[in-house]
Amino acid sequence: MTLAQFIAKRSGLGKRHAKKLIESGEITLNGEIVTDGNLPLGTFDRLTARGEILQARTARYILLHKPIGILSATTDKTHRTVIDLIDESWATDLHLAGRLDRATSGLMILTNDSRFSKSLTSPENHVPKTYLVHTDQPIPENVIQQFRHGMSFEKENTRSAPAIVELLSETSCRLTIYEGLHHQIKRMFLRFGIRVTQLHRESIGPYLLGDLQPGEWRHIDLLLCYCQ
Ligand code: URA
């Protein structure tokens, strides 16, 4: 949307009047006077007219440690959600950049910037996600090889990229996958009759859980975007 379109819509003035207002030098965009109504207006640009704020939305990027049992959803009638863990007035503006099962713990990213969340969840960006996995029985070599080779997922009509597997003990591994299919890791193991007993996400792309404790969250310090 252009500045003129936004101001015309917001003020109820026609587009011609909006353009005139902009040309009169009474509009600021991110603190600078602008006179070109054809400039694009971004979601998080701050816009004022004669000193009055027309748009001022803060972009928010949050890392959160989801505890087991909390729902990765924005609202729910019966269960506590990850949004309930953020005791801030702006928490309800956030949405999730990817989900975790209720029994899975670890890193989640929440934001109000859909460009950012899409960049993390778009399959074509192949964003790596690393998990600690515990299983109910030893993980055999042929399973590791299959994961490293990639597997087909008929329901989604797709194939997983070669995963990175680091065996930590007979029944645990660190696994990096590049998709976010529903119950993906549980389904990968279940194909070989192995049940996942604990699942914990350590990282998403360049973002690490670090020392965040279950239920804690913090702002992302440095935005590293997969946005085009
Ligand atoms: N794979 C799963 O099976 N569950 C998750 O929560 C995440 C990945």
Side-chain angles (χ1 to χ4, degrees):
M1 186 181 287
T2 65
L3 286 185
Q5 284 167 336
F6 179 87
I7 290 172
K9 196 166 163 215
R10 174 73 198 266
S11 63
L13 298 170
K15 201 167 163 202
R16 247 189 46 227
H17 281 91
K19 275 203 159 159
K20 275 202 174 138
L21 179 66
I22 297 165
E23 282 160 11
S24 72
E26 300 199 77
I27 302 291
T28 69
L29 180 65
N30 301 323
E32 306 269 332
I33 293 173
V34 283
T35 52
D36 180 0
N38 293 322
L39 285 174
L41 179 69
T43 317
F44 300 107
D45 283 333
R46 182 186 169 86
L47 188 69
T48 70
R50 295 180 183 144
E52 187 196 329
I53 297 170
L54 296 184
Q55 176 179 285
R57 202 176 288 137
T58 307
R60 301 194 192 271
Y61 307 95
I62 304 294
L63 299 182
L64 179 138
H65 186 158
K66 182 184 109 53
I68 292 169
I70 297 287
L71 216 58
S72 73
T74 49
T75 56
D76 191 77
K77 286 203 178 95
T78 44
H79 299 106
R80 287 190 83 206
T81 73
V82 285
I83 297 290
D84 297 327
L85 299 174
I86 304 175
D87 189 16
E88 299 285 348
S89 57
W90 41 260
T92 50
D93 295 338
L94 302 174
H95 61 269
L96 319 176
R99 291 171 184 270
L100 288 177
D101 295 338
R102 204 166 140 219
T104 302
S105 59
L107 181 63
M108 291 200 55
I109 296 181
L110 295 92
T111 181
N112 58 353
D113 181 349
S114 49
R115 217 173 136 238
F116 178 66
S117 55
K118 274 195 196 119
S119 78
L120 287 178
T121 55
S122 288
E124 59 268 28
N125 282 348
H126 302 289
V127 177
K129 284 147 289 241
T130 299
Y131 296 82
L132 273 181
V133 189
H134 289 261
T135 57
D136 69 340
Q137 50 187 289
I139 306 166
E141 183 57 30
N142 69 310
V143 170
I144 297 173
Q145 290 313 328
Q146 276 290 315
F147 287 5
R148 286 181 178 153
H149 189 251
M151 305 168 72
S152 56
F153 288 81
E154 268 169 33
K155 201 172 88 189
E156 291 88 355
N157 193 24
T158 191
R159 199 177 164 76
S160 60
I164 300 173
V165 191
E166 181 193 351
L167 202 59
L168 301 173
S169 74
E170 272 201 323
T171 56
S172 67
C173 69
R174 179 170 283 118
L175 176 63
T176 300
I177 57 172
Y178 296 84
E179 306 77 25
L181 306 178
H182 192 50
H183 300 318
Q184 181 170 341
I185 293 178
K186 288 179 189 151
R187 286 162 64 196
M188 284 167 74
F189 278 95
L190 213 50
R191 230 176 257 193
F192 301 93
I194 300 171
R195 261 185 4 95
V196 170
T197 53
Q198 275 180 54
L199 191 57
H200 175 77
R201 184 153 67 193
E202 295 183 318
S203 65
I204 301 172
Y207 302 108
L208 311 177
L209 188 61
D211 56 9
L212 271 183
Q213 297 304 301
E216 286 184 353
W217 60 271
R218 66 172 175 81
H219 293 279
I220 287 175
D221 302 324
L222 174 66
L223 203 62
L224 299 159
C225 197
Y226 287 80
C227 306
Q228 307 292 324

